[in-house]
Amino acid sequence: MNDKRLNIWYRDDQFKNQFSTNSQKEIVFNRWKYFKKIILKHNFKKQQLRILDLGSGDGVNILGLNSIMKSFNFNYDIYASDYSQDRLDKLSKRFPEVKTIKFDISNEVINNKYDLILFNHVLEHIKNENQALHNLKALLKKDGLIILGVPNEGCLIAQIRNNICQRKILKYTDHVNFYTMKSLKSKISPYFIMHSSFREGFFMPHDSIQRALRKFLLGRYFLNLLLFFFPSQSAGLILGLSSK
């Protein structure tokens, strides 16, 4: 593991960060809408599902998964996994009904299979991404679904931000993979079939610009307009995948 993973960013309160402002909440809720669309399109035939939030952190997305599954009237069990026991301990206090599993997808796999795996904002951290994808495939049931989310940090505006306008990001980030939609499709193609994709948000050349615009309804409308006309510069990529 990269020693940078020990920094305070990995020990802070993810719920506080994700739900601290209305604009930040909107980002999370919109992401859950994309998750729901992907699940709806997959059209699960069974009513009892085993779900894994892989790289769960404090469990923010478990709130979304619970809401989505209940809206579909599914019976389900949610499992959460992370490399950090501290994160899993926090998650267990908030969601005592969720079973937790400590393991690192980049170099190990557990002897269980799941109908639905959420793998959100994890792959960009993993140096040995091919091994992680191989292990991920081993966790998925034959007719299962993976929701994969990553930042679109390979796009032009993200490169301008990271290399010109806000160079300190590269000094402190532990992201080792900087994807575009094209490079992500190429990376996952040996392992999975992509049946749906979404782009979320819009990159700005400096985070302060992004935060300032998102404070206001008109600013958020402007960002959505930019996303419509320049989708390749989205802030994030979300894919629905099934095994080959």
Side-chain angles (χ1 to χ4, degrees), residues 26-231:
E26 184 179 61
I27 292 173
V28 177
F29 294 156
N30 284 338
R31 184 172 295 163
W32 291 348
K33 289 178 183 178
Y34 293 133
F35 294 171
K36 186 173 183 178
K37 288 179 180 180
I38 291 171
I39 294 169
L40 181 63
K41 186 174 181 178
H42 188 73
N43 191 25
F44 281 104
K45 302 300 182 184
K46 58 181 72 176
Q47 293 296 309
Q48 180 69 44
L49 300 178
R50 285 171 54 88
I51 301 170
L52 176 64
D53 185 0
L54 181 54
S56 58
D58 292 359
V60 169
N61 284 315
I62 287 176
L63 285 176
L65 289 170
N66 276 328
S67 176
I68 293 167
M69 291 298 108
K70 288 175 181 176
S71 73
F72 289 142
N73 292 317
F74 283 125
N75 294 316
Y76 63 96
D77 293 307
I78 293 185
Y79 300 78
S81 71
D82 203 280
Y83 82 97
S84 168
Q85 189 61 52
D86 288 342
R87 288 296 193 198
L88 293 177
D89 289 343
K90 289 181 181 179
L91 186 151
S92 293
K93 290 178 181 179
R94 190 179 293 268
F95 303 103
E97 76 283 2
V98 173
K99 302 174 181 67
T100 61
I101 311 161
K102 184 179 183 296
F103 80 104
D104 180 359
I105 190 65
S106 65
N107 57 36
E108 59 184 315
V109 68
I110 53 178
N111 189 27
N112 284 304
K113 288 186 178 288
Y114 300 89
D115 300 289
L116 171 61
I117 301 174
L118 176 62
F119 195 44
N120 186 59
H121 283 237
V122 180
L123 192 61
E124 67 272 15
H125 299 274
I126 299 175
K127 186 175 182 179
N128 191 355
E129 54 189 333
N130 287 323
Q131 186 62 51
L133 290 169
H134 174 81
N135 293 346
L136 178 64
K137 184 176 181 179
L139 291 173
L140 188 66
K141 290 186 179 180
K142 185 177 180 180
D143 58 347
L145 169 68
I146 292 171
I147 301 176
L148 171 65
V150 297
N152 186 30
E153 283 188 297
C155 75
L156 177 60
I157 295 180
Q159 292 183 55
I160 291 172
R161 184 198 69 173
N162 290 351
N163 293 286
I164 299 174
C165 299
Q166 213 172 350
R167 295 178 64 184
K168 68 177 182 180
I169 285 178
L170 290 181
K171 181 179 179 180
Y172 295 107
T173 186
D174 72 343
H175 292 186
V176 294
N177 302 307
F178 300 88
Y179 297 107
T180 62
M181 183 67 83
K182 182 179 179 180
S183 68
L184 183 60
K185 286 180 179 179
S186 175
K187 182 56 63 174
I188 60 99
S189 63
Y191 309 95
F192 304 106
I193 298 169
M194 185 185 79
H195 60 72
S196 54
S197 65
F198 295 94
R199 294 178 180 270
E200 60 169 348
F202 191 83
F203 251 112
M204 281 285 143
H206 199 286
D207 287 347
S208 61
I209 302 174
Q210 177 81 253
R211 289 193 297 270
L213 287 171
R214 289 205 59 83
K215 286 182 180 179
F216 306 100
L217 181 61
L218 188 59
R220 297 196 293 275
Y221 175 80
F222 177 64
L223 289 170
N224 289 334
L225 198 62
L226 288 174
L227 177 61
F228 178 81
F229 285 108
F230 306 103

